[in-house]
Amino acid sequence: MKKLLAFFSILMKDMKNYYLKPPNISWGIIFPVSWTLMFFIRSSSDVDIRGILPGVMALSVLFGTTSMLAVTITFERKSRSFERLLLAPISLNLLMLAKTTGAIVFGIINAFIPVVFASFLANLSGVNWISAIIGVVFIAVTSTFLGLFIAVSVSEVFEAQTFSNFFRFPMMFLCGLFIPIEDLPVIVRPLSYMLPLTYGADILKSSINYNGSIQMWVSLLVLLGYSLGLFLISTHNIRKRWIY
Amino acid sequence: MNIIEVKNLSKNFGNFKAVKKIGFSVEKGEVFGFLGPNGAGKTTTINMLTGLANPTSGKITIAGQDGIKDIKKVQQIIGIVPDESNLYDDMSGFENLVFCASLYGIEKTVREKRAKELLKQFTLDSAGNRPFRAYSKGMKRKLTIAAGIIHEPEILFLDEPTTGIDVESARQIRKMIKELNEKGTTIFLTTHYIEDAERLCHRIGFIVEGRVVKVSKVNDLMVEAQQENTVEFAMDKSGSSLEKLLLSNFSGITIKNMTDHSIRISSAAEIELMPFMRFFDDNGIKVSEAKVIRPSLEDIFVKITGIGIDKLRKEKEGKKK
């Protein structure tokens, strides 16, 4: 019970303090909203909007979560307030789950910003919302842990943002959201299948437009593997670098 | 009864040995000072005791529990005040305290009541709703200490509690440390300020180049240091010209010129003032002051650590900045 109380306090503190920090607003909110609007304005028909919806949803989650982590972890590490959490009588795993849950929630909320826009501009009937929500949650968890991995590897907020872009931008173009993987050069395709977003985007494509190419359970399993792997590497790095 | 026991504790950073097989114990209810020059291993030791660093080897026992394996259990009963005030800038003083209490699983009504009490105790009640970033250095330090004791720990680790803050805040913090100790809290304190250690600590451990070179009661240190008797004379003439004459008239003394017009005479035997006064009078020297010099903890620190007094002052100034 005591541990749960600490967990929720950390979660609520992060949500209250960091959702509206400048790096979050610019990379986590303004960028996905502009991106969404840009695509929707350029789309000439209902079908186009629905076609690109999985892509903008996935990117909104990716940018929202990774930006949030860059702030909540790197910022606190720099100001040494993170030490306070490391010295609290809660396990490192629970602490990191508390720190990342806020970003996961933020990412999920971000995913539905494009849906709100799209609902005014396109017909969204027939969307499998249950699998779409599952997909969004899995993308949010995986990209949050990717953000965590990045945040524990750097020491400055700007470094975290720069390092995040090193992962985010290639993922945008290689995960099959805007250019189908089959249309990519053969040499690049294996790289696409190494990216977690490829599997998350495929779940959304299957749920919204029924045009995914990977079985859903495979995508979920891969995302789960990525999440676990990234979380374990990140906590290992914290133990090694921060509890030195 | 020992509440902290450290045996053969070492910490290496690659080839560099920051802490070398140190051992000491802290008794329940005492204020234990940990003194040493910069880079001696004070903070590394405190980090190992509190769980922020993993020892390379050795054993730590805190309140009967393994301080390495069961560090999360230990953290429940210890409070930590780091050398930097590291609370959350965007949160108010009250919110910061309430948040810190929640990390120890203290329920809402209790933690809010305790936060209000601490704000009052630290004379921060009028600033309780202000964000932490708007606090002065002294206020930040006080709130950081309040955050360290909000869960009423059995042991409080204080790393440089009065460094770089105003005189009044430092005075309040010293008073608070004394009060906390009187209520039964064991305090482990590192400080650069020898005066703080002298005023607050029951026992002191000296660490130099990663080794604990001495652990002793403050009073015992003073008695031990009083190996020779010293009297300082302030005169109207330069003392350097008198040196040879004094040495030929008084056996077993050593002389040190302090300024142009003052000298220190030391002897293993007790120094009687009258023969010296007569000597100065016979030589036409007027003495305006004669005072017995007792060793300060600063002298003892210099003697034990080998660090020069000038370097010590520079370190203190550096810390303030």
Side-chain angles (χ1 to χ4, degrees):
Chain A
M1 195 62 197
K2 280 183 172 183
K3 312 281 177 220
L4 266 181
L5 181 63
F7 174 90
F8 280 109
S9 291
I10 296 168
L11 173 61
M12 296 314 289
K13 187 259 305 165
D14 280 357
M15 288 169 75
K16 194 177 164 197
N17 286 335
Y18 298 124
Y19 271 16
L20 297 176
K21 279 268 176 192
N24 252 358
I25 295 171
S26 60
W27 284 104
I29 299 171
I30 295 176
F31 185 79
V33 168
S34 324
W35 186 256
T36 305
L37 286 174
M38 185 181 81
F39 273 105
F40 286 174
I41 290 163
R42 291 275 298 164
S43 300
S44 51
S45 66
D46 278 10
V47 181
D48 274 348
I49 289 173
R50 194 161 161 162
I52 60 163
L53 186 60
V56 285
M57 281 173 78
L59 289 181
S60 298
V61 181
L62 178 70
F63 277 85
T65 51
T66 46
S67 304
M68 182 81 175
L69 259 297
V71 177
T72 59
I73 306 275
T74 321
F75 189 77
E76 286 193 2
R77 170 76 183 144
K78 184 132 179 67
S79 66
R80 287 187 63 187
S81 47
F82 196 78
E83 274 178 22
R84 188 164 286 284
L85 304 178
L86 289 174
L87 292 167
I90 49 170
S91 72
L92 181 63
N93 286 346
L94 187 70
L95 165 62
M96 295 325 293
L97 284 175
K99 293 298 287 178
T100 48
T101 303
I104 293 168
V105 172
F106 187 66
I108 293 168
I109 295 167
N110 257 17
F112 289 95
I113 294 172
V115 177
V116 172
F117 282 110
S119 66
F120 291 108
L121 303 165
N123 178 11
L124 297 180
S125 61
V127 171
N128 183 344
W129 288 113
I130 294 171
S131 63
I133 290 168
I134 292 171
V136 164
V137 171
F138 269 74
I139 299 170
V141 173
T142 314
S143 49
T144 296
F145 292 155
L146 174 68
L148 176 65
F149 168 74
I150 294 165
V152 299
S153 310
V154 298
S155 47
E156 300 281 347
V157 175
F158 80 90
E159 282 178 326
Q161 294 293 1
T162 312
F163 197 25
S164 297
N165 287 339
F166 180 78
F167 286 95
R168 291 188 291 208
F169 283 99
M171 267 205 256
M172 273 170 66
F173 299 104
L174 297 175
C175 71
L177 282 170
F178 303 109
I179 309 158
I181 294 174
E182 309 82 63
D183 296 345
L184 290 169
V186 179
I187 199 164
V188 180
R189 279 182 220 168
L191 191 62
S192 295
Y193 286 108
M194 285 166 71
L195 301 172
L197 198 64
T198 302
Y199 301 91
D202 200 80
I203 297 172
L204 293 182
K205 279 158 81 177
S206 299
S207 311
I208 295 168
N209 297 314
Y210 301 97
N211 59 353
S213 57
I214 307 165
Q215 292 227 12
M216 192 172 162
W217 69 269
V218 174
S219 296
L220 291 177
L221 216 60
V222 172
L223 290 176
L224 193 68
Y226 264 105
S227 301
L228 273 173
L230 287 165
F231 185 77
L232 291 175
I233 294 169
S234 303
T235 49
H236 171 79
N237 284 346
I238 291 171
R239 280 195 187 95
K240 206 173 148 194
R241 299 181 68 213
W242 296 354
I243 309 171
Y244 51 85
Chain B
M1 187 191 133
N2 292 335
I3 198 161
I4 301 175
E5 274 182 32
V6 173
K7 284 179 186 162
N8 291 322
L9 190 68
S10 298
K11 177 71 188 173
N12 300 347
F13 295 105
N15 291 329
F16 176 67
K17 291 178 177 172
V19 174
K20 301 164 190 170
K21 288 192 170 184
I22 62 167
F24 61 88
S25 58
V26 178
E27 282 172 30
K28 190 175 167 64
E30 79 172 335
V31 181
F32 184 84
F34 207 47
L35 264 67
N38 270 349
K42 296 190 298 287
T43 300
T44 304
T45 304
I46 229 176
N47 283 347
M48 287 192 281
L49 293 175
T50 55
L52 209 55
N54 294 314
T56 306
S57 62
K59 200 177 172 199
I60 301 169
T61 310
I62 296 179
Q65 306 199 71
D66 189 323
I68 301 169
K69 277 186 195 161
D70 297 326
I71 186 63
K72 287 295 156 189
K73 279 186 196 164
V74 168
Q75 283 170 343
Q76 189 74 46
I77 57 151
I78 61 173
I80 302 132
V81 179
D83 55 349
E84 247 177 65
S85 301
N86 64 346
L87 289 165
Y88 299 91
D89 275 345
D90 295 330
M91 288 160 72
S92 70
F94 178 74
E95 286 170 336
N96 263 300
L97 292 183
V98 168
F99 172 70
C100 289
S102 72
L103 295 176
Y104 294 85
I106 299 169
E107 60 183 75
K108 197 180 174 193
T109 46
V110 179
R111 60 181 191 246
E112 285 185 351
K113 185 174 170 263
R114 181 107 179 99
K116 280 177 193 162
E117 283 168 3
L118 282 170
L119 285 170
K120 200 173 176 187
Q121 187 186 333
F122 283 81
T123 59
L124 292 169
D125 38 348
S126 59
N129 291 324
R130 257 189 265 161
F132 185 63
R133 83 162 82 81
Y135 279 30
S136 71
K137 261 191 177 179
M139 290 162 81
K140 281 184 175 178
R141 203 77 198 115
K142 286 194 278 184
L143 195 76
T144 307
I145 294 173
I149 59 170
I150 191 143
H151 58 294
E152 297 178 316
E154 282 181 44
I155 309 165
L156 180 65
F157 289 88
L158 286 159
D159 198 0
E160 305 280 358
T162 57
T163 300
I165 57 169
D166 61 284
V167 176
E168 178 54 21
S169 298
R171 195 188 61 79
Q172 283 179 12
I173 287 171
R174 277 194 294 270
K175 187 171 166 256
M176 181 279 306
I177 292 171
K178 273 191 173 168
E179 282 171 2
L180 262 178
N181 180 246
E182 278 161 17
K183 284 180 192 164
T185 310
T186 306
I187 292 168
F188 185 97
L189 170 89
T190 76
T191 181
H192 259 67
Y193 295 120
I194 311 289
E195 315 85 67
D196 277 3
E198 202 168 345
R199 280 182 218 175
L200 296 169
C201 300
H202 298 113
R203 285 195 310 141
I204 290 173
F206 291 90
I207 183 167
V208 184
E209 292 178 353
R211 290 183 207 280
V212 173
V213 291
K214 193 168 190 70
V215 180
S216 189
K217 284 185 180 170
V218 176
N219 288 342
D220 293 349
L221 280 170
M222 297 296 191
V223 170
E224 211 177 294
Q226 186 85 52
Q227 286 167 339
E228 55 182 15
N229 303 287
T230 304
V231 178
E232 187 172 313
F233 294 94
M235 305 165 303
D236 65 342
K237 284 184 183 160
S238 169
S240 56
S241 56
L242 291 168
E243 206 168 323
K244 276 187 183 172
L245 210 55
L246 272 165
L247 288 170
S248 61
N249 277 272
F250 299 94
S251 59
I253 62 162
T254 54
I255 297 162
K256 193 177 176 188
N257 288 296
M258 301 307 289
T259 64
D260 269 358
H261 293 89
S262 71
I263 56 168
R264 269 189 191 180
I265 297 173
S266 301
S267 169
E270 205 173 316
I271 296 174
E272 281 185 50
L273 278 180
M274 282 318 289
F276 285 97
M277 296 303 283
R278 263 198 301 272
F279 168 84
F280 289 127
D281 193 41
D282 291 348
N283 287 281
I285 298 162
K286 281 185 184 164
V287 174
S288 56
E289 191 184 5
K291 62 179 176 190
V292 176
I293 303 296
R294 303 213 181 276
S296 65
L297 192 58
E298 188 155 305
D299 296 327
I300 297 163
F301 179 88
V302 169
K303 204 170 173 183
I304 290 173
T305 62
I307 183 172
I309 206 83
D310 291 342
K311 195 178 169 200
L312 178 67
R313 282 200 188 109
K314 272 182 197 162
E315 279 189 3
K316 282 182 185 177
E317 280 156 19
K319 270 269 173 183
K320 272 184 200 175
K321 281 167 197 168

